[in-house]
Amino acid sequence: MPKVCEINTEAVKDSVVYYSAYDYDYSKYAYDYKVVKARGKQSYIDIFGTFDIESTTNFEIDSKGKYEYVYGYMYTWQVCFNGDVILGRYWEEFQYFIGQLTEWYQTSISKRLVIYVHFLEYEFQFMNNFFEWEDVFALDKRKVLKALTVDGIEFRCSYKLSNYGLSKFTQNMRVKHQKQDGEDFNYYLKRNPLTTLSSNELYYCICDVLGLWESIVVTMEKDGDSIATIPSTSTGYVRRDIKHAMESNEDNFYLFKSLEMDETQYNMCKDAFRGGNTHANRFFSGKKLYDLYSIDIASSYPYVIATKYFPVTAWKEIEPYDFYKHLDDKCVLFSICFYNISLKEDVAMPYISTSKCKKLLGAVYDNGRILSADFLEITLTEIDYKIIKSQYDIEEEICTKAYTAERGILPKELRDCMINVYFHNKCTLKNIDDYNYMKSKNKLNAIFGMMVMAIVRMSYFFFDNEWFEDEGDAPSHIHKYYNSRKNFLAYQWGIYVTAHARSHLQYMLDIIGLDAVYCDTDSIKFRDYKKYLPTIERINDNIRKECIEADIPAFHDYNGKRFFLGIWEKDENVPYDTFKTFGAKKYAYEKDGVLHITVSGMSKEKGVDAMENSIDNFELYRTYKDIGRTTSFYNDVGIHEITETDYQGNTCTFSTASNIGVVDTTYTLGVTDEYFEEIYKYMLT
């Protein structure tokens, strides 16, 4: 006898009608749907659903405060299918529901029905034992993007599609059923399938799937997509647009194809790749500072893409000792060894990152950066090399392998689409059309992200309820990538995007010098703004001239104002009344009596509450509670029964399987012993 959910019949807000898995009319749309064709062999039913669960976590803590066990279980599930809401409390009900869909719609591997799940990797961990899977596509172990059952039900991750949390997604789409405030739901109450859910709790569950369904409908309508054409990820939108633009000129494919690398060159590019420059000035770390200013680069990566040079021919190996001859006229990729290297005294932000050193001996560190070393080996571009030579004294250097490529600008079609579509929309839609403004902003930033997606990456497989990894053959992956018409952006271009962006940032850092307190990719926080303002304005004049003279002007005119890429803009919230940092992604400032924090791993809002809205409580080695940080425990087990008693006194025996237990954790504001020793000598001065 299948288990049947007990659903509170109390009226729900907005008079939302909902059904159980056993009283829902599965024939309602079964005779009135279309089948739409995708690019592959498969087709899709043109109606879709959304799915979500609510779960409870049980745990015990030993005498030392450590968790002895942590496990979770589902106590309610909800589906929105083509606008209809179905609720259930047991996995058997959900299995029945899915079984009815496959039967009524005759789904199969070649005729699929889609169900979106916001953050699929979570729900998949709970439900993977209850279905037989044909294919599971994951970006990393457990990071599930798509999961296809043998009967043709395709679960997709809507978080990856939107790149927003559910609350922000429903807000941006302006749908009727917004995600509800979780504070009223109280996740900490222990529930089970017999727990009576109030009207507000039911409405919370319903909005999670109904609001998500409405948001995806709006997304498809605005972009002219069907369930067969909608991208899998937010980056997929820009990939589609840029690919279409690039395909308008056949020469672009032959340029891309000509840039194919061998495995050695590809690995050197990976070694040379580095993101933004984020660091704190060790002389000010831990100190409470006053009247700081902050300036930001307008669209840093798009500016680089629009105006800077990139490798436009294949890498050509040269004699290592000749690398320096080409530093000013070619793209140079090389591995080099530095002996007895030390930072110059007037440098606030050391450039060499410990993580990028392949070999390192006798090093002294500044929070992950090199102050000095007896020996280090690193792979660089000519852009990085010039910065290092300006910052460090080096006794001896030996280049061990080097390649060069001709310099040139990126394809015109790529730059034209980026500037005249995405940047245009970003300038004209702000505060007018939230949806398209955010989409354009995301697309503008996603162009770089597409360039540096690893060509050779680990594949993850889920088979027989276990995860497996396969690295694959690197040479064949690289050859296939550069010879497929599905691809159009060379990996080596992405290496130069971030290198140029770091150089753009470094130019200003060098001018501000020891007054620079903190930098992060495209921004600098510093002292004595008036002293540097004339220089900042002069630099901005040069950037504007560069943008105007580009073959595709890197600006946009709107409402009588000209918006430039790459210029330095003053933060609207400056000067900060107070500021304090303890290193990268660890800073706080006060403005008009309000505390603002940026601490990796801590919610901005809850972190401020934990610090009682005072920068004086932003202290080293202090532990903060209730800061929106959790720890997940994965339990991989087969289907079994458990018995749980809820907070209402209801005892229930029900089926569960693999699961995730999620518990709150504290955050201690700490630094490494090494970094503490470095900054302590300056903290008291």
Side-chain angles (χ1 to χ4, degrees), residues 77-174:
W77 59 265
Q78 43 272 349
V79 164
C80 178
F81 181 64
N82 204 33
D84 296 339
V85 177
I86 300 93
L87 304 180
R89 308 298 293 271
Y90 299 94
W91 282 115
E92 290 86 351
E93 293 174 307
F94 187 60
Q95 287 176 305
Y96 176 83
F97 173 78
I98 293 297
Q100 289 296 299
L101 291 184
T102 61
E103 183 177 333
W104 280 94
Y105 291 88
Q106 293 295 294
T107 60
S108 65
I109 301 302
S110 59
K111 180 190 173 186
R112 304 178 185 181
L113 192 153
V114 171
I115 297 178
Y116 277 100
V117 185
H118 214 69
F119 211 57
L120 175 58
E121 64 185 74
Y122 183 81
E123 269 75 8
F124 184 80
Q125 177 66 12
F126 283 86
M127 71 179 178
N128 64 57
N129 294 99
F130 291 98
F131 297 97
E132 187 177 351
W133 302 99
E134 173 68 20
D135 182 47
V136 176
F137 179 69
L139 303 174
D140 201 342
K141 185 178 180 181
R142 302 187 190 278
K143 309 296 184 184
V144 182
L145 181 63
K146 290 183 182 181
L148 176 66
T149 71
V150 294
D151 295 318
I153 303 298
E154 183 175 293
F155 292 92
R156 296 180 183 174
C157 182
S158 51
Y159 173 75
K160 293 296 184 183
L161 166 70
S162 64
N163 203 29
Y164 290 113
L166 186 55
S167 179
K168 194 67 176 177
F169 189 29
T170 56
Q171 288 175 25
N172 286 347
M173 299 303 104
R174 299 180 179 179

Side-chain angles (χ1 to χ4, degrees), residues 9 27 36 98 162 169 255 270 281 314 382 400 412 419 421 516 542 607:
T9 56
S27 68
V36 288
I98 293 297
S162 64
F169 189 29
L255 169 63
K270 283 181 62 181
N281 185 338
E382 76 282 4
T400 57
K412 183 177 181 180
I419 295 171
V421 177
N542 291 335

Side-chain angles (χ1 to χ4, degrees), residues 71 135 143 146 178 183 196 203 297 310 324 419 424 449 484 488 546 630:
Y71 67 91
D135 182 47
K143 309 296 184 184
K146 290 183 182 181
Q178 302 274 311
E183 295 294 329
T196 300
Y203 191 66
I297 303 170
F310 294 83
Y324 66 91
I419 295 171
H424 163 86
S484 170
F488 48 90
E546 178 187 28
T630 60

Side-chain angles (χ1 to χ4, degrees), residues 435-477:
Y435 171 80
N436 283 309
Y437 170 75
M438 294 307 300
K439 287 290 288 289
S440 295
K441 185 176 180 180
N442 287 341
K443 286 179 177 180
L444 197 58
N445 294 328
I447 296 172
F448 155 72
M450 291 192 303
M451 291 181 181
V452 291
M453 288 184 63
I455 298 173
V456 182
R457 52 185 182 268
M458 194 74 72
S459 296
Y460 299 89
F461 303 95
F462 184 77
F463 177 73
D464 198 21
N465 296 322
E466 290 188 48
W467 285 99
F468 299 91
E469 300 177 355
D470 180 22
E471 189 171 5
D473 178 63
S476 63
H477 275 290

Side-chain angles (χ1 to χ4, degrees), residues 365-604:
Y365 305 98
D366 171 14
N367 201 26
R369 302 293 177 88
I370 301 298
L371 291 174
S372 64
D374 296 336
F375 170 86
L376 69 83
E377 182 181 2
I378 193 168
T379 301
L380 304 170
T381 67
E382 76 282 4
I383 300 169
D384 301 297
Y385 178 76
K386 290 177 181 179
I387 296 173
I388 290 171
K389 291 289 283 185
S390 71
Q391 283 197 347
Y392 292 85
D393 292 317
I394 304 168
E395 184 176 300
E396 185 179 5
E397 58 186 56
I398 298 176
C399 181
T400 57
K401 200 171 192 64
Y403 294 91
T404 63
E406 297 299 320
R407 296 177 177 181
I409 56 177
L410 290 176
K412 183 177 181 180
E413 292 76 16
L414 165 62
R415 293 178 291 118
D416 181 65
C417 184
M418 181 188 74
I419 295 171
N420 293 318
V421 177
Y422 304 147
F423 187 59
H424 163 86
N425 289 341
K426 181 185 176 185
C427 295
T428 60
L429 297 173
K430 189 173 184 179
N431 300 322
I432 297 175
D433 185 335
D434 291 345
Y435 171 80
N436 283 309
Y437 170 75
M438 294 307 300
K439 287 290 288 289
S440 295
K441 185 176 180 180
N442 287 341
K443 286 179 177 180
L444 197 58
N445 294 328
I447 296 172
F448 155 72
M450 291 192 303
M451 291 181 181
V452 291
M453 288 184 63
I455 298 173
V456 182
R457 52 185 182 268
M458 194 74 72
S459 296
Y460 299 89
F461 303 95
F462 184 77
F463 177 73
D464 198 21
N465 296 322
E466 290 188 48
W467 285 99
F468 299 91
E469 300 177 355
D470 180 22
E471 189 171 5
D473 178 63
S476 63
H477 275 290
I478 297 169
H479 179 72
K480 182 178 179 181
Y481 179 84
Y482 280 94
N483 287 272
S484 170
R485 286 190 173 267
K486 292 181 180 179
N487 304 314
F488 48 90
L489 295 175
Y491 183 79
Q492 51 266 56
W493 292 345
I495 310 306
Y496 273 77
V497 170
T498 55
H500 280 301
R502 289 192 301 274
S503 179
H504 188 39
L505 180 79
Q506 190 65 48
Y507 185 73
M508 187 64 75
L509 281 173
D510 290 342
I511 290 169
I512 298 173
L514 292 176
D515 283 324
V517 174
Y518 185 90
C519 67
D520 188 351
T521 308
D522 60 358
S523 67
I524 303 174
K525 304 183 190 304
F526 62 103
R527 307 188 305 173
D528 206 351
Y529 176 73
K530 290 183 179 179
K531 174 182 177 181
Y532 299 104
L533 181 58
T535 304
I536 293 170
E537 291 178 340
R538 175 180 56 79
I539 291 171
N540 277 342
D541 286 341
N542 291 335
I543 294 170
R544 292 186 185 99
K545 182 179 179 181
E546 178 187 28
C547 291
I548 291 170
E549 293 177 353
D551 63 328
I552 300 177
F555 63 82
H556 183 72
D557 292 327
Y558 181 67
N559 272 354
K561 184 177 180 180
R562 179 160 287 184
F563 297 88
F564 285 92
L565 292 170
I567 62 170
W568 289 94
E569 299 175 323
K570 185 174 67 174
D571 186 338
E572 296 177 355
N573 214 22
V574 297
Y576 304 143
D577 298 328
T578 59
F579 179 91
K580 188 190 288 187
T581 180
F582 288 105
K585 303 297 183 183
K586 293 178 184 176
Y587 69 83
Y589 68 86
E590 289 176 318
K591 177 68 176 179
D592 298 330
V594 178
L595 180 68
H596 304 262
I597 68 165
T598 294
V599 179
S600 180
M602 185 184 293
S603 162
K604 291 180 181 292

